[in-house]
Amino acid sequence: MSDTTGLALAVVTLFPEMFGALTNWGVTGRAKEQGRYDLALVNPREFATDRHGTVDDRPYGGGPGMVMKAPIMEAALTGARSALGPKGSAAPVVAMSPQGRRLDDALVMELAQLPSFIVVAGRYEGIDERFLDAFVDREISVGDFVVSGGELPAMLLLDAVIRRLPGALGHSDSAEEDSFADGLLDCPHYTRPEEYHGQRVPQVLLSGDHGEIARWRRQQSLKRTAERRPDLMAELVLSEQDNALLEE
């Protein structure tokens, strides 16, 4: 790893080239250039023991699909730890899986505070359960659906984590004002022109009164969350001021 101060990340994946979308563009690309994180990509095929690069086999008990082999995945994980250098030995291991804990902002913040971690992106029917039992610290899901492999979920996870690293965003308050940062959905946002298809920007946003603007934004966040995500609202303990804003 070239950087020893930023977050040290590694991904075990059959398609490392996919992660160029993360490292070459936008906020996450700039954060990598600034040394806020480094990313090692380890392909299990490099640890296959036959000339065909075989990493999977038919499942015991029959059924469709193929299962990624535990010994190959273990070797790839060892390679990922080595790629992380001094931070590799203690790096926790995350596997992307629809059976895992649902990713949320609290989990993102927990991961963003670590010095390092490794993500395992599976393919095919899945990974031999014995590898998961022996080497994976937690499984994480990005939603109750199934995609073709763990790469896209891994990139969603890493994007969410990287943008919460100190200095990754251009404005220090940007992350704090995002949806879910305080348990609420974000408020509506507007920019020029002032009128668009007959709809005008709310007058309070043009007033220059920062106290009233902050109050309006808080009220809109409360209203949106109550209407769109009552499940989130049920988990919040609201202040008297928040309750008064909602009653309005």
Side-chain angles (χ1 to χ4, degrees):
M1 302 288 288
S2 59
D3 178 67
T4 59
T5 58
L7 175 62
L9 300 168
V11 180
V12 176
T13 169
L14 289 173
F15 298 99
E17 61 275 9
M18 292 180 66
F19 288 82
L22 188 77
T23 58
N24 296 337
W25 306 97
V27 168
T28 53
R30 289 194 300 272
K32 188 173 188 304
E33 290 178 358
Q34 295 165 356
R36 306 194 188 281
Y37 75 97
D38 206 349
L39 178 63
L41 300 167
V42 179
N43 191 334
R45 292 199 190 280
E46 298 175 5
F47 303 90
T49 56
D50 66 349
R51 61 189 180 89
H52 301 293
T54 304
V55 298
D56 58 339
D57 207 337
R58 295 185 299 275
Y60 281 119
M66 302 289 278
V67 177
M68 299 186 77
K69 301 169 72 171
I72 301 298
M73 297 302 292
E74 179 184 355
L77 178 59
T78 300
R81 291 196 184 281
S82 177
L84 290 181
K87 294 183 179 181
S89 60
V93 180
V94 169
M96 308 310 300
S97 166
Q99 289 94 24
R101 171 183 165 180
R102 181 81 69 86
L103 182 64
D104 57 19
D105 194 64
L107 181 51
V108 167
M109 285 302 299
E110 180 183 335
L111 293 172
Q113 293 168 15
L114 295 173
S116 61
F117 64 90
I118 298 168
V119 182
V120 176
R123 279 268 159 176
Y124 312 124
E125 193 65 22
I127 302 172
D128 191 309
E129 191 71 17
R130 293 168 294 182
F131 170 81
L132 301 176
D133 290 342
F135 299 106
V136 171
D137 297 293
R138 63 171 58 183
E139 297 180 50
I140 294 178
S141 168
V142 296
D144 296 336
F145 54 89
V146 177
V147 293
S148 300
E151 284 77 15
L152 290 175
M155 282 190 277
L156 286 172
L157 168 67
L158 294 176
D159 187 293
V161 169
I162 291 165
R163 67 190 311 279
R164 298 309 293 265
L165 298 178
L169 297 177
H171 195 290
S172 60
D173 295 333
S174 293
E176 283 69 24
E177 294 179 358
D178 284 343
S179 290
F180 309 112
D182 59 358
L184 297 172
L185 299 183
D186 200 4
C187 65
H189 297 280
Y190 300 86
T191 188
R192 294 171 179 79
E194 288 185 22
E195 184 173 340
Y196 176 70
H197 285 298
Q199 288 187 298
R200 297 191 61 83
V201 174
Q203 188 59 39
V204 64
L205 298 180
L206 307 176
S207 67
D209 188 328
H210 297 294
E212 282 301 306
I213 291 172
R215 182 178 183 277
W216 179 87
R217 286 175 170 165
R218 181 70 178 181
Q219 186 178 52
Q220 292 298 309
S221 288
L222 289 162
K223 178 175 180 289
R224 279 195 165 185
T225 307
E227 292 175 346
R228 302 182 184 188
R229 292 293 303 275
D231 58 314
L232 293 177
M233 204 64 162
E235 298 176 0
L236 296 175
V237 178
L238 299 181
S239 66
E240 290 184 9
Q241 183 179 13
D242 284 340
N243 282 315
L245 289 173
L246 267 178
E247 288 175 7
E248 289 183 16

